[in-house]
Amino acid sequence: MSRREGSCVAAMEALFANTPVGMRADAHVGSRKYINKQTGRLLSPRRGIHRELAALLEAAPHLEPRQWAVDHLSCHHAITRLNHELKHHAAGLGQRWTRDLAAMCWNPYPGYVREQDWQELRPLYEGLHREFPAVFPLNLVPPAGNFRSS
């Protein structure tokens, strides 16, 4: 029922847990854009949130929030959008884009989603470690085999 937040992590966790989300329609919450007919309902205080919550509970068995979240909110989607925006911004400034960002997963330790990214970035980590060993320990690089499916 918050009216102002950044991106509400609880809402995303609920979607991935296959739990429909009800959020105020007048909220300024980043994750509000993910509430749709498959994931939950935007609730209007003017129409009576209590009635709309009851309707959401009735509709809940027919919604598929987890499937929608898997299809639209993965790290693959997020990194693709972020790389697109950063490339567009760099081009607008007349700067060249040298490499897309690599998707990481924190589960519970940081690691790259794709082994190829780790292989390409490993020499950079090693160089940073040689230059600044107190800031960049070698164990910042995930061990081989610590990759997520892409």
Side-chain angles (χ1 to χ4, degrees):
M1 291 296 130
S2 295
R3 292 192 63 200
R4 183 175 299 273
E5 286 189 39
S7 184
C8 181
V9 175
M12 299 304 91
E13 290 172 344
L15 296 179
F16 278 102
N18 208 34
T19 302
V21 174
M23 190 177 291
R24 290 179 65 117
D26 61 348
H28 293 93
V29 176
S31 49
R32 188 183 88 173
K33 67 182 176 181
Y34 302 135
I35 308 303
N36 57 53
K37 290 180 181 179
Q38 292 174 289
T39 62
R41 299 291 185 269
L42 292 174
L43 311 172
S44 172
R46 287 187 213 142
R47 290 192 297 259
I49 288 180
H50 64 287
R51 284 191 280 280
E52 293 189 339
L53 275 174
L56 174 58
L57 288 172
E58 190 174 311
H62 308 289
L63 304 179
E64 296 185 2
R66 185 181 196 305
Q67 189 58 54
W68 187 91
V70 167
D71 292 343
H72 296 92
L73 300 178
S74 75
C75 67
H76 305 289
H77 291 94
I79 200 75
T80 298
R81 283 192 309 266
L82 180 58
N83 278 318
H84 172 78
E85 291 298 322
L86 291 173
K87 277 185 215 178
H88 181 72
H89 181 73
L93 296 174
Q95 298 173 339
R96 68 186 185 103
W97 183 257
T98 58
R99 185 187 195 288
D100 282 352
L101 299 175
M104 294 193 77
C105 179
W106 300 77
N107 189 23
Y109 304 106
Y112 289 100
V113 172
R114 297 178 335 132
E115 182 175 4
Q116 176 183 346
D117 291 326
W118 178 76
Q119 295 294 342
E120 290 174 8
L121 293 171
R122 184 177 177 182
L124 297 174
Y125 277 108
E126 291 169 350
L128 287 168
H129 173 70
R130 281 191 301 277
E131 191 79 23
F132 310 100
V135 179
F136 297 98
L138 274 179
N139 64 0
L140 276 178
V141 178
N146 190 28
F147 306 100
R148 292 14 173 237
S149 61
S150 50

mmCIF file of all heavy atoms in Angstrom, residues 1-28:
data_model
loop_
_atom_site.group_PDB
_atom_site.id
_atom_site.type_symbol
_atom_site.label_atom_id
_atom_site.label_comp_id
_atom_site.label_asym_id
_atom_site.label_seq_id
_atom_site.Cartn_x
_atom_site.Cartn_y
_atom_site.Cartn_z
ATOM 1 N N MET A 1 0.799 -1.202 0.000
ATOM 2 C CA MET A 1 0.000 0.000 0.000
ATOM 3 C C MET A 1 0.842 1.267 0.000
ATOM 4 O O MET A 1 0.331 2.343 0.154
ATOM 5 C CB MET A 1 -0.941 0.010 1.203
ATOM 6 C CG MET A 1 -2.037 -1.029 1.133
ATOM 7 S SD MET A 1 -3.136 -0.722 -0.259
ATOM 8 C CE MET A 1 -3.162 -2.341 -0.982
ATOM 9 N N SER A 2 2.151 1.131 -0.178
ATOM 10 C CA SER A 2 3.016 2.310 -0.250
ATOM 11 C C SER A 2 2.614 3.185 -1.422
ATOM 12 O O SER A 2 2.234 2.692 -2.474
ATOM 13 C CB SER A 2 4.476 1.898 -0.437
ATOM 14 O OG SER A 2 4.938 1.199 0.678
ATOM 15 N N ARG A 3 2.742 4.469 -1.242
ATOM 16 C CA ARG A 3 2.437 5.391 -2.338
ATOM 17 C C ARG A 3 3.696 5.854 -3.049
ATOM 18 O O ARG A 3 3.609 6.384 -4.142
ATOM 19 C CB ARG A 3 1.649 6.577 -1.811
ATOM 20 C CG ARG A 3 0.254 6.123 -1.362
ATOM 21 C CD ARG A 3 -0.671 7.247 -1.092
ATOM 22 N NE ARG A 3 -0.895 8.004 -2.318
ATOM 23 C CZ ARG A 3 -1.344 9.253 -2.306
ATOM 24 N NH1 ARG A 3 -1.598 9.855 -1.179
ATOM 25 N NH2 ARG A 3 -1.529 9.881 -3.436
ATOM 26 N N ARG A 4 4.882 5.650 -2.432
ATOM 27 C CA ARG A 4 6.111 6.066 -3.093
ATOM 28 C C ARG A 4 7.262 5.176 -2.613
ATOM 29 O O ARG A 4 7.545 5.101 -1.433
ATOM 30 C CB ARG A 4 6.419 7.521 -2.789
ATOM 31 C CG ARG A 4 7.650 8.032 -3.517
ATOM 32 C CD ARG A 4 7.884 9.511 -3.319
ATOM 33 N NE ARG A 4 6.793 10.331 -3.801
ATOM 34 C CZ ARG A 4 6.667 10.773 -5.065
ATOM 35 N NH1 ARG A 4 7.561 10.438 -5.952
ATOM 36 N NH2 ARG A 4 5.659 11.527 -5.406
ATOM 37 N N GLU A 5 7.897 4.517 -3.556
ATOM 38 C CA GLU A 5 9.086 3.694 -3.295
ATOM 39 C C GLU A 5 9.907 3.679 -4.572
ATOM 40 O O GLU A 5 9.429 4.070 -5.623
ATOM 41 C CB GLU A 5 8.698 2.249 -2.959
ATOM 42 C CG GLU A 5 8.105 2.053 -1.602
ATOM 43 C CD GLU A 5 7.949 0.580 -1.255
ATOM 44 O OE1 GLU A 5 8.856 -0.203 -1.607
ATOM 45 O OE2 GLU A 5 6.953 0.235 -0.644
ATOM 46 N N GLY A 6 11.071 3.118 -4.480
ATOM 47 C CA GLY A 6 11.861 2.884 -5.689
ATOM 48 C C GLY A 6 11.271 1.664 -6.372
ATOM 49 O O GLY A 6 10.075 1.576 -6.587
ATOM 50 N N SER A 7 12.095 0.722 -6.673
ATOM 51 C CA SER A 7 11.595 -0.529 -7.223
ATOM 52 C C SER A 7 11.359 -1.472 -6.062
ATOM 53 O O SER A 7 12.274 -1.827 -5.343
ATOM 54 C CB SER A 7 12.605 -1.126 -8.192
ATOM 55 O OG SER A 7 12.069 -2.292 -8.774
ATOM 56 N N CYS A 8 10.129 -1.852 -5.853
ATOM 57 C CA CYS A 8 9.762 -2.669 -4.700
ATOM 58 C C CYS A 8 10.183 -4.120 -4.925
ATOM 59 O O CYS A 8 9.578 -4.846 -5.703
ATOM 60 C CB CYS A 8 8.260 -2.572 -4.467
ATOM 61 S SG CYS A 8 7.706 -3.519 -3.048
ATOM 62 N N VAL A 9 11.231 -4.525 -4.237
ATOM 63 C CA VAL A 9 11.747 -5.887 -4.381
ATOM 64 C C VAL A 9 10.716 -6.914 -3.908
ATOM 65 O O VAL A 9 10.582 -7.988 -4.486
ATOM 66 C CB VAL A 9 13.081 -6.039 -3.617
ATOM 67 C CG1 VAL A 9 13.565 -7.469 -3.645
ATOM 68 C CG2 VAL A 9 14.134 -5.110 -4.216
ATOM 69 N N ALA A 10 9.949 -6.571 -2.887
ATOM 70 C CA ALA A 10 8.933 -7.499 -2.379
ATOM 71 C C ALA A 10 7.926 -7.856 -3.469
ATOM 72 O O ALA A 10 7.470 -9.000 -3.558
ATOM 73 C CB ALA A 10 8.221 -6.905 -1.169
ATOM 74 N N ALA A 11 7.584 -6.884 -4.308
ATOM 75 C CA ALA A 11 6.641 -7.158 -5.395
ATOM 76 C C ALA A 11 7.240 -8.166 -6.379
ATOM 77 O O ALA A 11 6.563 -9.114 -6.795
ATOM 78 C CB ALA A 11 6.257 -5.868 -6.108
ATOM 79 N N MET A 12 8.510 -7.990 -6.730
ATOM 80 C CA MET A 12 9.148 -8.925 -7.663
ATOM 81 C C MET A 12 9.282 -10.313 -7.042
ATOM 82 O O MET A 12 9.079 -11.323 -7.706
ATOM 83 C CB MET A 12 10.533 -8.416 -8.080
ATOM 84 C CG MET A 12 10.530 -7.082 -8.789
ATOM 85 S SD MET A 12 9.497 -7.027 -10.259
ATOM 86 C CE MET A 12 7.943 -6.475 -9.610
ATOM 87 N N GLU A 13 9.626 -10.361 -5.763
ATOM 88 C CA GLU A 13 9.722 -11.652 -5.079
ATOM 89 C C GLU A 13 8.368 -12.353 -5.065
ATOM 90 O O GLU A 13 8.287 -13.567 -5.248
ATOM 91 C CB GLU A 13 10.252 -11.457 -3.667
ATOM 92 C CG GLU A 13 11.714 -11.056 -3.644
ATOM 93 C CD GLU A 13 12.212 -10.670 -2.269
ATOM 94 O OE1 GLU A 13 11.397 -10.413 -1.361
ATOM 95 O OE2 GLU A 13 13.445 -10.617 -2.102
ATOM 96 N N ALA A 14 7.300 -11.586 -4.855
ATOM 97 C CA ALA A 14 5.962 -12.177 -4.865
ATOM 98 C C ALA A 14 5.640 -12.756 -6.237
ATOM 99 O O ALA A 14 5.115 -13.871 -6.335
ATOM 100 C CB ALA A 14 4.917 -11.130 -4.468
ATOM 101 N N LEU A 15 5.954 -12.020 -7.296
ATOM 102 C CA LEU A 15 5.668 -12.522 -8.640
ATOM 103 C C LEU A 15 6.411 -13.831 -8.900
ATOM 104 O O LEU A 15 5.828 -14.799 -9.398
ATOM 105 C CB LEU A 15 6.036 -11.477 -9.695
ATOM 106 C CG LEU A 15 5.243 -10.172 -9.668
ATOM 107 C CD1 LEU A 15 5.739 -9.234 -10.763
ATOM 108 C CD2 LEU A 15 3.755 -10.421 -9.795
ATOM 109 N N PHE A 16 7.685 -13.875 -8.549
ATOM 110 C CA PHE A 16 8.460 -15.099 -8.775
ATOM 111 C C PHE A 16 7.995 -16.239 -7.863
ATOM 112 O O PHE A 16 8.221 -17.404 -8.171
ATOM 113 C CB PHE A 16 9.956 -14.834 -8.627
ATOM 114 C CG PHE A 16 10.569 -14.250 -9.866
ATOM 115 C CD1 PHE A 16 10.850 -12.900 -9.936
ATOM 116 C CD2 PHE A 16 10.836 -15.035 -10.967
ATOM 117 C CE1 PHE A 16 11.405 -12.344 -11.085
ATOM 118 C CE2 PHE A 16 11.387 -14.500 -12.125
ATOM 119 C CZ PHE A 16 11.674 -13.141 -12.182
ATOM 120 N N ALA A 17 7.339 -15.899 -6.768
ATOM 121 C CA ALA A 17 6.771 -16.927 -5.882
ATOM 122 C C ALA A 17 5.348 -17.291 -6.305
ATOM 123 O O ALA A 17 4.640 -17.978 -5.586
ATOM 124 C CB ALA A 17 6.773 -16.423 -4.441
ATOM 125 N N ASN A 18 4.944 -16.823 -7.478
ATOM 126 C CA ASN A 18 3.625 -17.101 -8.056
ATOM 127 C C ASN A 18 2.481 -16.544 -7.212
ATOM 128 O O ASN A 18 1.407 -17.124 -7.128
ATOM 129 C CB ASN A 18 3.421 -18.593 -8.325
ATOM 130 C CG ASN A 18 2.449 -18.821 -9.471
ATOM 131 O OD1 ASN A 18 2.409 -18.044 -10.421
ATOM 132 N ND2 ASN A 18 1.665 -19.870 -9.389
ATOM 133 N N THR A 19 2.741 -15.405 -6.591
ATOM 134 C CA THR A 19 1.740 -14.740 -5.765
ATOM 135 C C THR A 19 1.294 -13.456 -6.462
ATOM 136 O O THR A 19 2.108 -12.562 -6.688
ATOM 137 C CB THR A 19 2.341 -14.386 -4.392
ATOM 138 O OG1 THR A 19 2.810 -15.591 -3.786
ATOM 139 C CG2 THR A 19 1.308 -13.727 -3.498
ATOM 140 N N PRO A 20 0.019 -13.341 -6.812
ATOM 141 C CA PRO A 20 -0.462 -12.110 -7.430
ATOM 142 C C PRO A 20 -0.239 -10.903 -6.511
ATOM 143 O O PRO A 20 -0.290 -11.023 -5.287
ATOM 144 C CB PRO A 20 -1.954 -12.364 -7.619
ATOM 145 C CG PRO A 20 -2.077 -13.853 -7.659
ATOM 146 C CD PRO A 20 -1.034 -14.357 -6.707
ATOM 147 N N VAL A 21 -0.004 -9.763 -7.122
ATOM 148 C CA VAL A 21 0.303 -8.542 -6.379
ATOM 149 C C VAL A 21 -0.801 -7.521 -6.591
ATOM 150 O O VAL A 21 -1.225 -7.276 -7.719
ATOM 151 C CB VAL A 21 1.652 -7.957 -6.839
ATOM 152 C CG1 VAL A 21 1.929 -6.611 -6.189
ATOM 153 C CG2 VAL A 21 2.782 -8.932 -6.533
ATOM 154 N N GLY A 22 -1.242 -6.927 -5.490
ATOM 155 C CA GLY A 22 -2.134 -5.785 -5.547
ATOM 156 C C GLY A 22 -1.337 -4.561 -5.138
ATOM 157 O O GLY A 22 -0.648 -4.575 -4.116
ATOM 158 N N MET A 23 -1.389 -3.509 -5.963
ATOM 159 C CA MET A 23 -0.631 -2.297 -5.677
ATOM 160 C C MET A 23 -1.521 -1.091 -5.975
ATOM 161 O O MET A 23 -2.322 -1.134 -6.908
ATOM 162 C CB MET A 23 0.627 -2.250 -6.546
ATOM 163 C CG MET A 23 1.600 -1.163 -6.163
ATOM 164 S SD MET A 23 3.122 -1.202 -7.151
ATOM 165 C CE MET A 23 3.884 -2.714 -6.578
ATOM 166 N N ARG A 24 -1.368 -0.066 -5.186
ATOM 167 C CA ARG A 24 -2.160 1.148 -5.408
ATOM 168 C C ARG A 24 -1.925 1.677 -6.821
ATOM 169 O O ARG A 24 -0.789 1.800 -7.265
ATOM 170 C CB ARG A 24 -1.777 2.225 -4.408
ATOM 171 C CG ARG A 24 -2.212 1.949 -2.988
ATOM 172 C CD ARG A 24 -1.763 3.061 -2.071
ATOM 173 N NE ARG A 24 -2.436 4.310 -2.425
ATOM 174 C CZ ARG A 24 -3.261 4.967 -1.611
ATOM 175 N NH1 ARG A 24 -3.486 4.505 -0.392
ATOM 176 N NH2 ARG A 24 -3.822 6.084 -1.992
ATOM 177 N N ALA A 25 -3.020 2.019 -7.501
ATOM 178 C CA ALA A 25 -2.924 2.548 -8.860
ATOM 179 C C ALA A 25 -2.254 3.917 -8.882
ATOM 180 O O ALA A 25 -1.643 4.287 -9.883
ATOM 181 C CB ALA A 25 -4.312 2.618 -9.486
ATOM 182 N N ASP A 26 -2.354 4.663 -7.778
ATOM 183 C CA ASP A 26 -1.764 5.998 -7.717
ATOM 184 C C ASP A 26 -0.362 6.005 -7.104
ATOM 185 O O ASP A 26 0.182 7.050 -6.801
ATOM 186 C CB ASP A 26 -2.679 6.959 -6.953
ATOM 187 C CG ASP A 26 -2.913 6.525 -5.508
ATOM 188 O OD1 ASP A 26 -2.567 5.383 -5.144
ATOM 189 O OD2 ASP A 26 -3.457 7.343 -4.742
ATOM 190 N N ALA A 27 0.220 4.838 -6.961
ATOM 191 C CA ALA A 27 1.548 4.735 -6.346
ATOM 192 C C ALA A 27 2.641 5.142 -7.329
ATOM 193 O O ALA A 27 2.535 4.906 -8.531
ATOM 194 C CB ALA A 27 1.795 3.308 -5.869
ATOM 195 N N HIS A 28 3.687 5.737 -6.782
ATOM 196 C CA HIS A 28 4.896 6.013 -7.548
ATOM 197 C C HIS A 28 5.920 4.964 -7.110
ATOM 198 O O HIS A 28 6.755 5.214 -6.254
ATOM 199 C CB HIS A 28 5.414 7.425 -7.267
ATOM 200 C CG HIS A 28 4.503 8.485 -7.779
ATOM 201 N ND1 HIS A 28 3.534 9.064 -7.005
ATOM 202 C CD2 HIS A 28 4.400 9.039 -9.010
ATOM 203 C CE1 HIS A 28 2.883 9.948 -7.725
ATOM 204 N NE2 HIS A 28 3.385 9.959 -8.944
#
